Amino acid sequence: MIDDLTLMFDSAMRLAAPLLFVALGELIAEKAGTLNISVEGAMLSAAFAAVMGSSAFDSTIAGLVIGVGIGLLVGVIQGYLSHRLTVNQFVVGLTMNILALGLTGYLFASTDLDPGQFAVWRVPGLAEIPLIGEPLFVQRAPFFLVYLMIPVVWYVLNRTRWGLEVQAIGEDPQAADVTGIPVNRRRRQAVLIAGGCAGLAGSYLSIGAIGGFSPNMTAGRGFIAIAAVIFGGWGLKGAVAGCLLFGFMDALRLALPALGVELVPQLLIASPYLMAIGTMLLFAKSQRQPRSLGIGFERRGL
């Protein structure tokens, strides 16, 4: 029984990790007032780029760097179009997602790839803890970055001038502009961070967790990370809890057939997504989103 639980927890953590990477960046973007739906496209593009880079340079580190770079590039494009040219941010995000889906599918079909995969790291001592040791401390190398990123994101948002400016922009960009805060520049910077985090998530998924690429392998996980941020009430602890909950549900979906529980296959596949929608509907209305979320900013004349 203990072994079965350990395996399920291990699966849940591996499935939650890419969501955590995306959600941490998306939280920053949404705090600044941008609902950055292009994270799905950034994640998928990075997953392919990481595989391609790993194959070309015979190095998983190179693949990871290239994948993060592609995520940053998507963030640059999203930020430039949304917050410099003031194109509708939802239209830009949707376009980036469709482009990523089509382009990666085409390149995958026309490219011969032989990617590597990150090795499994084992943290001495901690890995021996019953039940949670292996799920938390025996994982592929990029996984452990999440333990660093969670406190860093908390510190940046709550203990730095930049983070406080970002949150002020998300609440009232006009008032922030009056005090001299460069609203659209901060928003572009926040979207850039979200793109980089999505790039890390896609790279971890392809050359970390899976060791390869398949068309549309992200399967909407970028949107699930957005839902986790909303479900978490736009707070760090809530977003992390939402990602872990989805990872657990996805792991449960995979474990039930092995345990002899027979359900309709389509219902099993849909269950984590239904859970995400249900929890979002249940809790989102009780939470207050940043007031300027999804609203573009243009300086008013004085």
Side-chain angles (χ1 to χ4, degrees), residues 102-173:
L103 188 59
T104 56
Y106 168 76
L107 291 175
F108 175 72
S110 58
T111 308
D112 185 22
L113 299 172
D114 183 24
Q117 186 176 16
F118 277 97
V120 174
W121 283 9
R122 186 182 187 90
V123 180
L126 296 177
E128 311 306 325
I129 299 174
L131 189 60
I132 64 170
E134 291 196 8
L136 295 179
F137 303 110
V138 183
Q139 296 287 349
R140 298 196 182 272
F143 173 91
F144 294 99
L145 290 174
V146 77
Y147 294 142
L148 174 66
M149 290 176 62
I150 290 174
V152 166
V153 168
W154 177 87
Y155 182 83
V156 168
L157 283 176
N158 297 286
R159 292 293 185 268
T160 68
R161 180 184 179 89
W162 186 90
L164 296 176
E165 288 180 353
V166 160
Q167 296 189 69
I169 290 166
E171 292 299 323
D172 192 338

Side-chain angles (χ1 to χ4, degrees), residues 2-274:
I2 296 296
D3 290 341
D4 290 339
L5 286 174
T6 298
L7 287 173
M8 192 168 74
F9 287 159
D10 179 64
S11 179
M13 292 306 299
R14 285 188 287 106
L15 292 166
L19 300 178
L20 287 167
F21 289 131
V22 177
L24 291 172
E26 179 65 18
L27 176 64
I28 293 175
E30 293 196 19
K31 285 287 192 181
T34 300
L35 188 57
N36 182 31
I37 65 173
S38 67
V39 290
E40 173 73 12
M43 189 178 177
L44 183 60
S45 301
F48 177 78
V51 167
M52 187 172 64
S54 172
S55 179
F57 295 98
D58 193 26
S59 168
T60 52
I61 296 295
L64 181 68
V65 171
I66 292 171
V68 173
I70 291 297
L72 289 170
L73 177 61
V74 173
V76 167
I77 296 171
Q78 172 78 51
Y80 181 83
L81 293 176
S82 298
H83 301 305
R84 184 177 288 275
L85 301 184
T86 64
V87 180
N88 185 286
Q89 58 189 256
F90 301 103
V91 174
V92 174
L94 182 61
T95 302
M96 296 298 294
N97 291 339
I98 294 172
L99 177 63
L101 180 62
L103 188 59
T104 56
Y106 168 76
L107 291 175
F108 175 72
S110 58
T111 308
D112 185 22
L113 299 172
D114 183 24
Q117 186 176 16
F118 277 97
V120 174
W121 283 9
R122 186 182 187 90
V123 180
L126 296 177
E128 311 306 325
I129 299 174
L131 189 60
I132 64 170
E134 291 196 8
L136 295 179
F137 303 110
V138 183
Q139 296 287 349
R140 298 196 182 272
F143 173 91
F144 294 99
L145 290 174
V146 77
Y147 294 142
L148 174 66
M149 290 176 62
I150 290 174
V152 166
V153 168
W154 177 87
Y155 182 83
V156 168
L157 283 176
N158 297 286
R159 292 293 185 268
T160 68
R161 180 184 179 89
W162 186 90
L164 296 176
E165 288 180 353
V166 160
Q167 296 189 69
I169 290 166
E171 292 299 323
D172 192 338
Q174 294 293 342
D177 180 63
V178 169
T179 64
I181 299 173
V183 173
N184 282 330
R185 184 189 303 169
R186 289 289 179 269
R187 284 184 166 179
R188 290 196 301 273
Q189 291 167 351
V191 170
L192 182 65
I193 291 172
C197 290
L200 178 58
S203 302
Y204 167 78
L205 186 65
S206 61
I207 60 174
I210 295 175
F213 180 85
S214 60
N216 195 28
M217 69 184 298
T218 52
R221 283 176 170 80
F223 297 113
I224 293 297
I226 295 173
V229 173
I230 297 171
F231 159 63
W234 292 272
L236 179 59
K237 289 189 290 186
V240 170
C243 292
L244 292 175
L245 180 59
F246 178 82
F248 176 79
M249 288 297 296
D250 210 8
L252 185 62
R253 170 183 69 85
L254 297 172
L256 285 177
L259 295 174
V261 179
E262 296 185 5
L263 293 174
V264 178
Q266 291 81 1
L267 179 61
L268 277 176
I269 294 171
S271 59
Y273 301 93
L274 293 174

